[in-house]
Amino acid sequence: MLQSHIIVLDLGFGDAGKGATVDWLCSPEAGLDVSAVVRFNGGAQAAHNVIADGRHHTFAQFGSGTFSGVPTLLSRHMLVEPIALAGESRQLAALGVPDPLSLLRIDGRALLTTPIHIAANRAREDARGSSRHGSCGRGIGETASYAIEYDAPTVSDCLRPDVLYPKLQAMAAYFGPLIAPSAHRYEAIRDLVDMYREFAAAVRIVDGTELARLAERGRLIFEGAQGVLLDEWRGFHPHTTWSTVEPRNARALLTEIDAPAYTLGVTRTYMTRHGAGPFPTEDPTMTFPEPHNATGPYQGHFRRGHLDPILLRYAIEVSGGIDGLALTHLDAPGTGYAATGYATAGGMLDRLEPGRWQNLDHQRDLTALLTMADPILTAVPAEPVPWLERQLGAPIVLTAHGPDRRDRTPTRVVAAA
């Protein structure tokens, strides 16, 4: 039987512990013979905190298996920001990772996020004032939206300055009216082209055959970014990310190489959310420390709330199901309740209707519903694992009682071949 490659998927609004989960899966302790971590969505806005062997790093574009020496493939679905990537490489080198860029492979078809995108993103979000959507301010939405209509720069263009330069010029002209009145600026285009030429010489830019080569050497771990409840089509519009978070892209990549997938959903024992958007079980009295989740100038406040199996079941359903669960933050205080229903103007609900894919009108309706929903809370049993398995219809295969790699405990075999 072919071994199953593992897709790691955050079932919430992000920050559930994907990075720490991937780190453990790639570690010698897990014994999974991992050949690469594949990033399949998002970009430099990811913030996956890993603590292992006395080191802490917030992974953004490098895969969270880097401390174990596992290579990273940034797939064609990633939005690659080379300047931030170079900075992350220096941080990893300072933590003792030898030559981090040598662990990196980048699909040349991946879109390039530039300082022009970042300036436009921040200018647009500033202009929204109190109606901000909750952007990270990293240019993700501008990168994705511009590419829908225009010939956007890609990673492979960094190898061809004569192609890249006019693309950047056209993009600067397009975003100029948005950026000019703002306080945000970016480097001269000629300087950007020079930086990207150096970047292309320092990394390995690959084609679509690289995935199959890596799969021949061992197991692949697909590391998702953000959370399914922020998905561009399945999240609660407009407070979403410009990224397909649910695993269709990861599964499509595996279908291309005729390989099976095991989908591992990740959730905390309570819910969290950065910035604006509906959050039915939010509880402002849950103020215990979150050292790696501060208020961001564009994301906004870090919010906490009680466990919400209704939202988690929705995330599982729109993701096409999962095979197992990783349950994190079992050491956290104040997490003794969960929502078993919502009281709404239309009556009591214990399920959200997914609707059709790419139906933003439906997602707006869900946003309105959740904004007014009053959660019906029940006490979670002292032993939450069996209860949550029944609530979500999937086995919990990994638990975490703290932030360190050594705090993770497998409870069942993960992704057996």
Side-chain angles (χ1 to χ4, degrees):
M1 181 187 294
L2 292 172
Q3 71 175 357
S4 292
H5 304 287
I6 303 173
I7 301 170
V8 178
L9 187 69
D10 189 316
L11 298 175
F13 294 104
D15 302 300
K18 298 178 296 299
T21 300
V22 170
D23 168 75
W24 184 85
L25 292 170
C26 292
S27 70
E29 291 90 329
L32 292 176
D33 188 29
V34 177
S35 65
V37 170
V38 182
R39 297 292 305 278
F40 65 89
N41 76 297
Q45 89 278 39
H48 298 177
N49 286 284
V50 171
I51 299 174
D53 303 323
R55 297 180 288 183
H56 167 250
H57 179 68
T58 303
F59 285 92
Q61 293 179 88
F62 277 84
S64 295
T66 301
F67 280 163
S68 295
V70 174
T72 298
L73 171 62
L74 302 182
S75 76
R76 68 178 183 268
H77 301 293
M78 277 288 288
L79 310 180
V80 177
E81 209 279 74
I83 298 171
L85 195 55
E88 186 174 3
S89 176
R90 290 191 293 271
Q91 293 168 8
L92 288 166
L95 290 169
V97 177
D99 192 9
L101 290 178
S102 69
L103 293 173
L104 200 61
R105 292 129 171 88
I106 308 177
D107 192 311
R109 296 168 291 179
L111 290 173
L112 202 64
T113 294
T114 72
I116 303 170
H117 294 108
I118 295 170
N121 175 192
R122 295 177 180 182
R124 193 181 305 279
E125 194 71 348
D126 287 347
R128 291 183 175 128
S130 61
S131 298
R132 286 184 174 188
H133 290 178
S135 168
C136 291
R138 300 297 308 170
I140 303 305
E142 305 301 339
T143 304
S145 61
Y146 182 84
I148 294 172
E149 299 290 339
Y150 300 98
D151 188 14
T154 65
V155 168
S156 63
D157 292 334
C158 295
L159 295 165
R160 304 173 294 173
D162 58 323
V163 173
L164 181 59
Y165 186 83
K167 285 189 177 184
L168 293 179
Q169 278 189 312
M171 195 165 62
Y174 174 82
F175 286 118
L178 173 63
I179 296 172
S182 78
H184 305 290
R185 298 293 179 264
Y186 52 85
E187 296 85 343
I189 291 177
R190 186 63 66 187
D191 291 339
L192 288 176
V193 171
D194 289 342
M195 283 191 284
Y196 292 145
R197 184 191 294 116
E198 294 176 7
F199 161 75
V203 299
R204 184 175 172 185
I205 299 175
V206 299
D207 61 20
T209 63
E210 184 69 13
L211 187 73
R213 281 194 290 269
L214 291 169
E216 288 173 359
R217 300 175 192 167
R219 198 186 301 266
L220 303 176
I221 306 294
F222 287 76
E223 181 176 359
Q226 295 85 52
V228 172
L229 300 180
L230 295 176
D231 183 274
E232 60 185 333
W233 298 113
R234 296 301 198 174
F236 307 119
H237 193 76
H239 306 286
T240 56
T241 182
W242 279 77
S243 179
T244 297
V245 181
E246 51 94 347
R248 70 178 58 236
N249 288 338
R251 289 173 179 155
L253 288 168
L254 285 169
T255 297
E256 291 172 10
I257 62 171
D258 193 26
Y262 176 101
T263 303
L264 179 64
V266 185
T267 180
R268 293 184 181 225
T269 55
Y270 58 103
M271 307 298 287
T272 65
R273 178 162 199 163
H274 251 123
F279 191 177
T281 62
E282 182 176 11
D283 185 345
T285 69
M286 295 172 65
T287 57
F288 43 85
E290 289 275 355
H292 302 137
N293 285 298
T295 296
Y298 289 94
Q299 282 182 296
H301 292 289
F302 187 71
R303 303 155 64 191
R304 303 164 184 81
H306 299 288
L307 187 65
D308 193 336
I310 303 165
L311 288 184
L312 295 175
R313 287 195 296 268
Y314 170 84
I316 291 169
E317 187 171 356
V318 300
S319 297
I322 60 173
D323 300 293
L325 281 162
L327 180 61
T328 69
H329 294 75
L330 279 159
D331 59 317
T335 58
Y337 292 91
T340 55
Y342 299 145
T344 73
M348 200 279 285
L349 296 177
D350 61 7
R351 178 180 179 271
L352 296 181
E353 174 59 51
R356 293 180 294 105
W357 185 51
Q358 296 188 328
N359 182 354
L360 291 184
D361 288 338
H362 179 77
Q363 301 310 116
R364 289 188 188 92
D365 290 342
L366 287 181
T367 299
L369 184 152
L370 291 174
T371 299
M372 301 302 295
D374 186 15
I376 301 167
L377 298 177
T378 189
V380 176
E383 293 295 331
V385 169
W387 181 84
L388 192 58
E389 287 179 328
R390 292 192 298 272
Q391 289 288 315
L392 302 185
I396 292 173
V397 299
L398 184 68
T399 59
H401 289 78
D404 198 282
R405 179 191 295 169
R406 62 191 174 191
D407 297 321
R408 262 137 257 284
T409 304
T411 57
R412 291 179 172 84
V413 175
V414 181

